[in-house]
Amino acid sequence: MPNSNARLHSNHRGGREASRRELVSRSLQSAQHCLENQDFGTAYAHYLLVLNLAPELKTTVKETFQFTLFKWAEELDSLARIQDLFNCYEQALELYPNDEVICNSMGEHLFRMGFRDEAAGYFHKAVKLNPDFADAKENFYRVANWLVERWHFIMLNDARRNLTYLKAIENAVHSGSKSVLDIGTGTGILSMFAKKAGASFVYACELSKTMYELARDVVAANNMEREIKLLHLKSLDIEIPKHIPERVSLVVTETVDAGLFGEGIVESLIHAWEHLLLQPK
């Protein structure tokens, strides 16, 4: 009797596997037929079914799936079905989370719709996944030019300004301010000044996704990624101990023009003083 039950279970599993293979095969044929008739939406649905039933085929159908996704996305865009377009990309990125081509394409759609900060995040991810991906690099630099204002570069090249900030931060740290919060960190330069001055704990927040990613790269290039905690947050949203363990003893900021990123310098400093900065006794 046990042997009979085992055979039944084996036959059942074999039957299910045969049914799965048949369904996958029919869906692939249907997808190809739809592509020939330029019915990209139905072809996309068939490929979703195939990839969910047979993930082992991801590599085999990858290029055709990408082609189908991009064509269907173009149709959705022309029909102003924006939410459906984004849903398709989310589904595609669940299947291919590390596909630089899909990330770059998603960024292009976001950029055209005016979501430049979000687009920069996808372009940056595509470049990270494939540093030789020329289209993604060009797109990232293009969107960065929109988001990083020119005064930022001027300030970074102002040696007198940088030296003044460095000396002021050094004086504060050497006077006992060992925990530092940098509001609107930008490239992370003030945070790195604080760490080099000897601060024990340095936290930096940046609302712009593009500048946050840039700061991560700059901090990592200076081997400080384990010493400076970067937060993609508005300073008003920082909570203790959720984001930082306790109040800091020094706040540094250079939010000269906060209009682009919405970080409100006065609100930020009041918030830091009341909630994040150690009060004088």
Side-chain angles (χ1 to χ4, degrees), residues 20-31 46 50:
R20 183 187 73 91
R21 286 198 300 265
E22 183 179 357
L23 181 55
V24 167
S25 177
R26 286 183 177 180
S27 293
L28 284 171
Q29 291 174 9
S30 296
H46 279 298
V50 168

Side-chain angles (χ1 to χ4, degrees), residues 157-271:
N157 287 285
D158 187 341
R160 180 179 295 180
R161 160 199 165 276
N162 293 338
L163 184 59
T164 301
Y165 266 101
L166 176 60
K167 287 182 177 179
I169 291 172
E170 284 180 342
N171 289 338
V173 172
H174 296 164
S175 297
S177 298
K178 295 301 183 182
S179 56
V180 179
L181 171 64
D182 179 6
I183 295 177
T185 191
T187 58
I189 188 171
L190 299 187
S191 295
M192 291 187 289
F193 283 170
K195 195 61 196 179
K196 288 181 178 179
S200 302
F201 306 100
V202 179
Y203 313 98
C205 64
E206 176 58 57
L207 181 59
S208 165
K209 178 67 172 176
T210 303
M211 295 307 299
Y212 167 75
E213 295 288 356
L214 179 60
R216 287 182 60 185
D217 288 344
V218 172
V219 168
N222 285 272
N223 298 315
M224 292 187 180
E225 64 269 32
R226 295 184 179 181
E227 300 175 331
I228 297 173
K229 182 176 181 180
L230 288 165
L231 303 167
H232 181 216
L233 285 173
K234 191 175 182 179
S235 66
L236 297 172
D237 295 330
I238 296 176
E239 298 178 17
I240 299 172
K242 181 179 179 180
H243 301 114
I244 61 177
E246 57 187 2
R247 293 187 177 191
V248 297
S249 52
L250 175 67
V251 170
V252 296
T253 187
E254 192 176 23
T255 43
V256 177
D257 182 352
L260 179 64
F261 303 135
E263 180 59 284
I265 185 170
V266 176
E267 281 186 327
S268 300
L269 292 177
I270 291 174
H271 174 72

Side-chain angles (χ1 to χ4, degrees), residues 31-217:
Q32 188 60 42
H33 179 72
C34 290
L35 286 178
E36 291 170 359
N37 289 285
Q38 297 188 346
D39 182 359
F40 300 114
T42 308
Y44 176 76
H46 279 298
Y47 278 118
L48 282 183
L49 178 61
V50 168
L51 290 168
N52 279 287
L53 287 174
E56 68 273 12
L57 295 179
K58 282 184 179 180
T59 302
T60 305
V61 304
K62 180 179 177 179
E63 289 187 9
T64 311
F65 174 76
Q66 288 175 343
F67 172 81
T68 306
L69 167 67
F70 300 156
K71 286 295 186 179
W72 179 225
E74 287 177 9
E75 281 193 25
L76 293 172
D77 193 8
S78 67
L79 296 169
R81 291 171 56 183
I82 305 306
Q83 189 57 56
D84 289 335
L85 185 153
F86 287 149
N87 288 343
C88 286
Y89 273 96
E90 287 175 4
Q91 292 167 338
L93 286 169
E94 285 180 7
L95 293 166
Y96 296 95
N98 296 318
D99 188 290
E100 69 273 19
V101 179
I102 295 177
C103 286
N104 183 65
S105 180
M106 174 67 156
E108 289 175 337
H109 281 287
L110 287 165
F111 184 78
R112 284 195 295 271
M113 293 173 191
F115 300 106
R116 291 168 183 157
D117 206 25
E118 293 82 355
Y122 281 98
F123 293 146
H124 185 266
K125 182 179 179 180
V127 174
K128 283 287 189 181
L129 290 167
N130 182 1
D132 297 323
F133 190 4
D135 287 350
K137 286 196 291 187
E138 181 180 343
N139 284 333
F140 181 69
Y141 295 144
R142 179 162 56 113
V143 74
N145 284 332
W146 283 91
L147 294 173
V148 182
E149 293 201 270
R150 292 299 159 195
W151 54 261
H152 216 91
F153 299 107
I154 295 171
M155 290 192 303
L156 288 174
N157 287 285
D158 187 341
R160 180 179 295 180
R161 160 199 165 276
N162 293 338
L163 184 59
T164 301
Y165 266 101
L166 176 60
K167 287 182 177 179
I169 291 172
E170 284 180 342
N171 289 338
V173 172
H174 296 164
S175 297
S177 298
K178 295 301 183 182
S179 56
V180 179
L181 171 64
D182 179 6
I183 295 177
T185 191
T187 58
I189 188 171
L190 299 187
S191 295
M192 291 187 289
F193 283 170
K195 195 61 196 179
K196 288 181 178 179
S200 302
F201 306 100
V202 179
Y203 313 98
C205 64
E206 176 58 57
L207 181 59
S208 165
K209 178 67 172 176
T210 303
M211 295 307 299
Y212 167 75
E213 295 288 356
L214 179 60
R216 287 182 60 185
D217 288 344

